[in-house]
Amino acid sequence: MRIFDPHIHMTSRTTDDYERMAAAGVRALVEPAFWLGQPRTNPGSFTDYFDALIGWEPFRASQYGIRHHCTIALNPKEANDPRCREVLPLLPRYLAKDRVVAVGETGYDSMTPEEDEVFAAQLQLAREHGLPALVHTPHRDKVTGTRRSLDVVKESGIDPGLVVLDHLNEPTVGEVAGTGCWMGFSIYPDTKMSPERMVAILREYGLERVLVNSAADWGKSDPLLTLRTGEAMLAAGFSADDVDRVLWRNPVEFYGQSGRLDLDDDSAAEATFAGNSILRGGS
Ligand SMILES: [Zn+2]
């Protein structure tokens, strides 16, 4: 089983995790910029973090044969702190970099006017840079937050095929299915979504425009829950090709829209064969 984890925060994980992930079949990943727990108080604190996402983490991942990509944004939670707002004008410099494959995580935490403003501004940045956008749906009042996110996406004029709404669950998946946006699911040990619940959603909604991630971070989480989901799919009667579609080809298709995926020659050949002109040659 080859796995592309489309949302995992490796900054918060140990090198042992990279080793375990490689052994489990993880060959590529996307690390979205997010909230580190400790509030940041100035833009320099963000740029040091962004530099780690394009420098140190790809190096760490490469030691285990894992291709590392990232997304860059001011996250919804810190969008509420005026001291962090100065990060916005610094983003274009990062959005021009190799292996920055989307704007994100953006979206809502508490659905404040400040979050509205930063979310809309960052969707415009995605449009200007021709990049996908990763939208975090809030943990509280999720249905309202998901509907409101879809409204903001629509108002922005961005192609819905370039947008993933992440951290969906049973009450919110139906809101996103049929909008043209991608549907992201974070498989967590206790909360959000389990492998078995994910299998039930795949049965009901199909495999198209679905991304499954571990969203492993500094909280209770598990980088191998992508593998566990693949195993649960097989046990439920899905084929190995179905698993490959969900855990590899779908994230390659979504993030490939950036033109910046850095995958090995085998994967590139397979993606080209699948008719996706999504891999930029030679960079
Ligand atoms: Zn995240």
Side-chain angles (χ1 to χ4, degrees):
M1 200 183 290
R2 56 179 182 168
I3 298 171
F4 186 135
D5 193 332
H7 185 150
I8 182 165
H9 300 289
M10 293 310 299
T11 299
S12 307
R13 311 301 305 191
T14 65
T15 298
D16 290 349
D17 286 328
Y18 273 120
E19 193 170 20
R20 291 164 60 227
M21 289 160 64
V26 178
R27 285 159 57 174
L29 60 83
V30 170
E31 174 161 9
F34 82 141
W35 177 55
L36 292 174
Q38 176 70 30
R40 283 170 281 204
T41 58
N42 68 83
S45 190
F46 283 84
T47 54
D48 286 343
Y49 170 57
F50 296 157
D51 287 339
L53 294 183
I54 59 175
W56 175 242
E57 287 304 328
F59 168 71
R60 228 159 56 105
S62 71
Q63 292 178 309
Y64 296 91
I66 296 174
R67 302 300 176 107
H68 184 287
H69 313 83
C70 70
T71 77
I72 297 284
L74 172 57
N75 64 80
K77 191 162 181 100
E78 290 179 301
N80 292 300
D81 187 333
R83 293 172 300 183
C84 301
R85 196 60 74 86
E86 292 162 56
V87 172
L88 284 181
L90 304 177
L91 295 179
R93 153 189 350 157
Y94 287 94
L95 298 178
K97 303 269 188 197
D98 283 346
R99 287 201 276 202
V100 175
V101 294
V103 172
E105 300 184 37
T106 186
Y108 287 121
D109 178 57
S110 306
M111 291 184 268
T112 62
E114 289 77 12
E115 291 171 28
D116 273 327
E117 204 179 302
V118 170
F119 183 14
Q122 295 192 119
L123 288 176
Q124 290 313 317
L125 280 177
R127 288 189 68 188
E128 285 160 24
H129 292 263
L131 288 172
L134 166 58
V135 177
H136 164 100
T137 58
H139 305 299
R140 301 171 298 274
D141 206 359
K142 217 172 177 59
V143 173
T144 309
T146 302
R147 285 182 187 153
R148 201 157 143 185
S149 299
L150 286 166
D151 287 343
V152 176
V153 166
K154 205 167 179 183
E155 281 161 24
S156 78
I158 192 171
D159 172 359
L162 284 168
V163 177
V164 56
L165 273 85
D166 214 337
H167 314 313
L168 298 182
N169 58 11
E170 290 85 350
T172 54
V173 57
E175 301 288 333
V176 183
T179 63
C181 293
W182 285 68
M183 296 169 278
F185 298 89
S186 302
I187 317 300
Y188 258 36
D190 302 323
T191 56
K192 291 194 173 88
M193 180 62 54
S194 69
E196 291 69 28
R197 284 164 59 200
M198 189 64 231
V199 166
I201 285 176
L202 290 168
R203 276 210 176 107
E204 188 173 347
Y205 290 91
L207 311 182
E208 201 179 326
R209 295 189 182 224
V210 170
L211 300 179
V212 170
N213 60 67
S214 72
D217 56 16
W218 40 255
K220 190 165 161 51
S221 48
D222 180 352
L224 300 192
L225 285 178
T226 47
L227 170 66
R228 301 290 168 245
T229 302
E231 290 169 346
M233 284 179 72
L234 292 174
F238 282 98
S239 69
D241 188 68
D242 292 336
V243 173
D244 189 69
R245 177 168 183 191
V246 171
L247 294 184
W248 184 268
R249 300 198 306 269
N250 279 359
V252 168
E253 187 181 340
F254 179 71
Y255 284 116
Q257 297 181 98
S258 68
R260 291 184 184 159
L261 281 188
D262 170 33
L263 301 174
D264 61 40
D265 294 342
D266 284 359
S267 313
E270 287 162 34
T272 306
F273 181 72
N276 303 319
S277 54
I278 49 185
L279 295 158
R280 186 175 54 182
S283 60

